[in-house]
Amino acid sequence: GENVEQHPSTLSVQEGDSAVIKCTYSDSASNYFPWYKQELGKRPQLIIDIRSNVGEKKDQRIAVTLNKTAKHFSLHITETQPEDSAVYFCAARRGQGNLIFGKGTKLSVKP
Amino acid sequence: DAGITQSPRHKVTETGTPVTLRCHQTENHRYMYWYRQDPGHGLRLIHYSYGVKDTDKGEVSDGYSVSRSKTEDFLLTLESATSSQTSVYFCAISDNLAGYQETQYFGPGTRLLVL
């Protein structure tokens, strides 16, 4: 079955810097890759997703890139702000299968 | 937030007692899921449903059962709670488009402590 590994597990950046979180997946047939943000004590919320027919997607300060050959996808956050501090989860899904989540990255943005 | 509620939001129970958690949606979505979230493990799927009375196991289903008698409600039951089931439980929903599951949206979560 699918396996998703996420790195790093913790990431600390200065406000204004960029942050990059990377996930690798094992099933080459996976075709949907969402990213969720979870603030302390809150529910995971979708922030961006990408399907396998595109290589990159942007939404303001957030972007996701997908490398199908290498089977990895990454979340890029530019101009980080303190409110970006949260735990971020990647996930992968094949066809009609269920989402398989990475174990999360705790991002801390220092003012 | 999508129209998803969970009840109770917090529960403390004793080992060996039955516990039922409820997920209610107002979106009329086809798919519903139960996850547990534990430090170092991320989100792990317990059970899911792809329609009324249609359910299947996830990766950590032992000790849990589910039922879905109506589109809007998905119940998770711990028949005999154990301390290892202390966790935060999230319900999620997604719709179906052209035969594929779409984006999942999560409920607010239930914190369960088994003493």
Side-chain angles (χ1 to χ4, degrees):
Chain A
E2 176 66 280
N3 182 52
V4 177
E5 296 194 357
Q6 183 172 346
H7 298 281
S9 57
T10 60
L11 179 60
S12 182
V13 299
Q14 288 294 133
E15 182 177 359
D17 288 349
S18 295
V20 181
I21 303 169
K22 181 178 176 179
C23 288
T24 59
Y25 59 99
S26 59
D27 188 343
S28 57
S30 289
N31 57 5
Y32 175 65
F33 309 93
W35 284 91
Y36 287 83
K37 175 184 179 182
Q38 186 178 28
E39 297 176 352
L40 189 62
K42 301 292 181 64
R43 73 187 78 189
Q45 293 200 305
L46 180 76
I47 55 172
I48 196 166
D49 58 8
I50 192 169
R51 299 184 189 274
S52 59
N53 57 346
V54 297
E56 184 176 6
K57 183 176 180 180
K58 291 183 178 180
D59 183 2
Q60 300 182 339
R61 296 186 297 108
I62 293 173
V64 56
T65 58
L66 172 64
N67 183 326
K68 289 187 291 184
T69 302
K71 292 190 287 186
H72 67 73
F73 56 110
S74 299
L75 178 69
H76 305 256
I77 306 174
T78 59
E79 301 174 16
T80 54
Q81 301 168 4
E83 52 264 40
D84 294 329
S85 295
V87 178
Y88 292 81
F89 292 97
C90 65
R93 185 179 75 207
R94 170 185 178 175
Q96 297 188 50
N98 293 310
L99 285 177
I100 303 298
F101 285 85
K103 294 184 178 181
T105 296
K106 183 178 181 180
L107 174 64
S108 300
V109 180
K110 299 180 179 179
Chain B
D1 292 330
I4 314 169
T5 58
Q6 293 184 230
S7 59
R9 294 292 314 279
H10 303 269
K11 186 169 182 66
V12 180
T13 191
E14 294 186 349
T15 298
T17 60
V19 176
T20 295
L21 308 183
R22 180 184 184 233
C23 178
H24 179 79
Q25 60 146 329
T26 58
E27 305 295 325
N28 199 35
H29 283 358
R30 176 181 176 183
Y31 294 90
M32 298 185 75
Y33 314 81
W34 277 108
Y35 291 89
R36 61 177 290 172
Q37 184 174 41
D38 306 287
H41 291 277
L43 291 153
R44 293 182 293 174
L45 183 65
I46 305 171
H47 281 279
Y48 66 100
S49 170
Y50 46 96
V52 173
K53 297 188 178 179
D54 291 324
T55 64
D56 206 347
K57 296 179 180 180
E59 62 178 300
V60 290
S61 59
D62 287 349
Y64 302 94
S65 62
V66 290
S67 66
R68 191 170 179 199
S69 59
K70 298 183 291 184
T71 298
E72 57 266 35
D73 289 326
F74 192 32
L75 304 180
L76 176 70
T77 297
L78 291 64
E79 301 291 347
S80 177
T82 67
S83 58
S84 65
Q85 293 176 312
T86 291
S87 187
V88 179
Y89 291 85
F90 284 100
C91 173
I93 65 173
S94 69
D95 210 350
N96 176 274
L97 184 64
Y100 291 90
Q101 300 176 44
E102 287 301 302
T103 301
Q104 286 190 23
Y105 296 97
F106 285 83
T110 294
R111 290 186 174 274
L112 177 66
L113 174 61
V114 183
L115 301 175

